[in-house]
Amino acid sequence: MASTSTTGECDKSFSSSYLQLRPEKLGLFDLLALLLSSNLNRRKFVESSEETEERFERRWIIFISIVAQKLLLAVARPLSWFGSLIELWLNLVRINGGGLSALLFNLVRGKVVVPETTSADFVSMIGNVDLRLDLDETIPPEDQGYYYTQLSMMSAKAAYENEAYLKSAVTDHWKMEFLGFFNFWNEYQEKANTQAFMLRDGDKIVLAFRGTEPFNSDDWCSDFDISWYEIPGMGTVHGGFMKALGLQKSLGWPKELPKADHDGDGSPRPPTAYYFLRKRLKDLLLQGGDGRAKKFIVTGHSLGGALAVLFPAVLGLHGEKELLERLEGVYTYGQPRVGDPEFREFMQKIMRERKIGYYRFVYCNDMVSRLPFDNSTFHFEHFGRCHYYDSLYDEQIVDEVPNKNYFTLKGVVPMMVNAMYELWRSFTIVACKGPEYRESLAMTMLRVVGLAMPGLPAHCPMDYNNSIRLGRAAYRASKEIDKDL
């Protein structure tokens, strides 16, 4: 996810009200001052449009947010190196037979296969947690709801992978048309740190945004970044997510961009996500396309889910009626909260008027889907109804998930008990549900971590994938019972 800017000031005249945290300007004395002084505007690490003094509860949450970001920025390089080593080791073991003994045997014979990080065989940490690639071919054409739910889930999971992997998955395994993999510029980070890809399945285009990479400090910074901007006509929206989608310094969300600028060396920068994807979809759906694509859907997991929600929001802000009429559905998995009650009403109006389906999936104690907080201090809210799955993979349609803000004392014991059950389930699920639900060693290790941090492994695509597949199995079984009756 996008982090706060590390490169100087920027004009925020596009926003009528804002709070921006700047962890790169934080010093030790500032931490103490933040807790002891109620006037934030005196602090160089906080930029706010409001002159009012802040309550301690709000300052405490700001303290947690900015310290977390400061630490993440400090360990960014070693965290990235560590992640690269973990991914290389997991791929080395998998490609050489799937076990340590097979790897050692190949080593003795001098036939060790070293994975190329840009090859179709190389799988990310997220991919190693859940190696499943094939779609459920038993879904009949008339079950379009389940079909696109699963295709969206698998696309959201695949969005973490490299271009070669994606092209192979889409064309060779799913037998669909690969429309491209894209790296997008984040003006505030001054790097290309937002990714997405597109495919065509029959008359529909799927746009999938990548979510939070486990060893990417920039991504995690926005999980903890509570900066926000109030956008006239839209509401108050999470700043980090907007930056990742293409929020422009000084300009905010202009309908059209000025002439593209360049890096300091004169070379053109990569495009920003929203403006590039809007044009690409117009070309495919409205202006001179080959006529095969009629509709599109947007999907994403984690940060990708937030971007999947924000994309049609900015389309609505810009009055892109024709494109919104082609948007059939938005599918999100483990999506964090994006905006305030005004943003919720703005989105509900767009979805209702344009008849766009919104399908938000949450698995059990997933912590990311419960952030930022929905309380009197920070008014972030979800909108629409939620497909909620418990640890038995039973589905409920709810307005709000249990323990909606995650960090509550009364929820600690139940979450830890559930984490123990999920670890036990990882060893028994094959016997209960079949070999396709076998958990990798990486996933089992995450379950162990979950004993100390319940809700962290629940955010992984593995449980979302299981929920969709087993939910489909339960639906199929209920239909058979109905036939017998």
Side-chain angles (χ1 to χ4, degrees):
M1 300 181 185
S3 73
T4 50
S5 172
T6 61
T7 58
E9 309 293 334
C10 64
D11 178 17
K12 290 171 283 295
S13 58
F14 62 85
S15 175
S16 53
S17 181
Y18 60 86
L19 172 72
Q20 182 170 342
L21 304 184
R22 302 179 63 82
E24 73 280 0
K25 294 189 174 184
L26 182 71
L28 181 60
F29 176 77
D30 295 319
L31 290 177
L32 298 175
L34 175 59
L35 294 177
L36 297 175
S37 173
S38 60
N39 193 331
L40 293 183
N41 280 310
R42 297 176 182 174
R43 308 303 163 197
K44 60 185 178 181
F45 58 88
V46 178
E47 297 177 24
S48 175
S49 60
E50 300 176 4
E51 297 295 334
T52 58
E53 296 187 345
E54 299 288 0
R55 303 191 316 271
F56 178 79
E57 180 185 6
R58 187 179 177 95
R59 284 185 283 122
W60 174 248
I61 296 175
I62 291 174
F63 175 87
I64 297 297
S65 171
I66 203 163
V67 168
Q69 292 179 72
K70 186 72 173 179
L71 291 174
L72 284 164
L73 291 173
V75 302
R77 185 166 294 180
L79 182 64
S80 177
W81 288 344
F82 177 72
S84 297
L85 288 174
I86 293 292
E87 287 187 347
L88 181 62
W89 171 254
L90 290 172
N91 280 277
L92 191 65
V93 172
R94 180 180 55 83
I95 291 174
N96 283 277
L100 185 58
S101 59
L103 174 61
L104 292 174
F105 182 62
N106 282 354
L107 182 61
V108 170
R109 296 189 302 155
K111 294 185 177 181
V112 172
V113 180
V114 179
E116 292 284 343
T117 58
T118 57
S119 73
D121 293 326
F122 193 89
V123 182
S124 70
M125 178 66 185
I126 294 294
N128 273 288
V129 166
D130 183 2
L131 288 165
R132 286 171 294 187
L133 178 58
D134 294 328
L135 299 171
D136 184 354
E137 297 180 355
T138 66
I139 301 177
E142 58 268 22
D143 277 355
Q144 290 294 291
Y146 271 104
Y147 176 79
Y148 285 109
T149 297
Q150 189 195 37
L151 177 58
S152 296
M153 175 63 245
M154 293 298 287
S155 297
K157 183 174 83 75
Y160 288 92
E161 309 304 331
N162 65 59
E163 183 173 7
Y165 177 99
L166 286 169
K167 189 171 184 179
S168 174
V170 171
T171 58
D172 300 334
H173 291 266
W174 299 351
K175 308 302 179 185
M176 300 173 190
E177 183 181 357
F178 182 66
L179 296 177
F181 168 82
F182 315 105
N183 283 293
F184 296 116
W185 188 255
N186 183 319
E187 282 210 337
Y188 291 78
Q189 293 180 350
E190 296 196 344
K191 63 180 74 172
N193 202 40
T194 299
Q195 284 82 41
F197 82 97
M198 296 173 67
L199 63 85
R200 176 161 32 205
D201 177 30
D203 65 351
K204 289 188 179 63
I205 290 171
V206 177
L207 165 60
F209 288 98
R210 175 185 64 77
T212 305
E213 290 184 321
F215 302 106
N216 187 320
S217 284
D218 290 324
D219 285 3
W220 283 109
C221 274
S222 276
D223 279 334
F224 290 97
D225 183 8
I226 56 171
S227 300
W228 50 263
Y229 299 95
E230 184 177 337
I231 305 298
M234 179 189 286
T236 298
V237 185
H238 191 286
F241 302 153
M242 289 200 294
K243 295 168 190 175
L245 189 63
L247 183 73
Q248 302 294 296
K249 288 183 180 179
S250 305
L251 299 174
W253 288 116
K255 186 167 184 178
E256 302 296 338
L257 287 177
K259 187 176 180 180
D261 60 359
H262 297 74
D263 287 324
D265 61 0
S267 60
R269 289 174 174 171
T272 51
Y274 168 76
Y275 295 97
F276 176 90
L277 293 170
R278 183 184 66 175
K279 182 180 185 305
R280 183 83 169 112
L281 286 168
K282 283 184 176 181
D283 290 342
L284 290 167
L285 293 165
L286 304 176
Q287 301 167 355
D290 57 17
R292 286 185 293 161
K294 307 295 184 185
K295 295 276 188 176
F296 74 102
I297 60 179
V298 188
T299 186
H301 167 260
S302 189
L303 158 69
L307 299 184
V309 166
L310 267 178
F311 184 72
V314 183
L315 288 176
L317 183 70
H318 290 161
E320 297 286 356
K321 295 180 180 180
E322 283 188 284
L323 208 50
L324 285 171
E325 286 172 357
R326 298 294 187 102
L327 177 56
E328 185 167 286
V330 177
Y331 295 77
T332 71
Y333 306 87
Q335 168 214 318
R337 297 183 178 101
V338 175
D340 70 346
E342 185 181 349
F343 178 78
R344 178 196 65 205
E345 294 186 10
F346 173 79
M347 287 302 299
Q348 288 176 330
K349 181 180 179 183
I350 290 175
M351 298 295 191
R352 182 175 60 252
E353 290 180 350
R354 302 300 166 191
K355 297 180 173 59
I356 301 168
Y358 174 51
Y359 311 96
R360 178 168 64 89
F361 296 86
V362 173
Y363 169 73
C364 201
N365 292 322
D366 181 348
M367 63 190 300
V368 174
S369 64
R370 291 166 167 86
L371 298 172
F373 294 141
D374 175 4
N375 58 19
S376 60
T377 302
F378 292 96
H379 302 281
F380 288 94
E381 292 188 5
H382 281 301
F383 66 91
R385 307 195 76 187
C386 170
H387 297 256
Y388 173 75
Y389 291 88
D390 61 23
S391 56
L392 298 175
Y393 299 121
D394 290 332
E395 181 186 20
Q396 303 172 54
I397 309 297
V398 298
D399 292 319
E400 188 55 81
V401 299
N403 192 20
K404 71 174 184 178
N405 284 327
Y406 184 76
F407 296 103
T408 60
L409 290 176
K410 68 179 181 180
V412 171
V413 173
M415 285 195 295
M416 294 187 71
V417 170
N418 188 79
M420 288 187 282
Y421 164 73
E422 289 175 333
L423 178 59
W424 173 80
R425 187 188 63 195
S426 68
F427 297 103
T428 61
I429 193 169
V430 172
C432 298
K433 303 298 183 183
E436 73 171 291
Y437 298 97
R438 185 183 306 278
E439 296 197 357
S440 64
L441 177 60
M443 187 69 221
T444 302
M445 294 302 294
L446 278 173
R447 301 283 190 206
V448 174
V449 173
L451 298 176
M453 291 189 65
L456 181 61
H459 184 58
C460 292
M462 179 89 192
D463 282 318
Y464 283 94
N465 204 352
N466 287 352
S467 296
I468 302 306
R469 291 170 186 257
L470 292 172
R472 162 66 188 161
Y475 173 80
R476 211 163 39 216
S478 68
K479 288 295 183 182
E480 293 302 318
I481 292 173
D482 289 343
K483 288 179 183 178
D484 292 340
L485 294 175

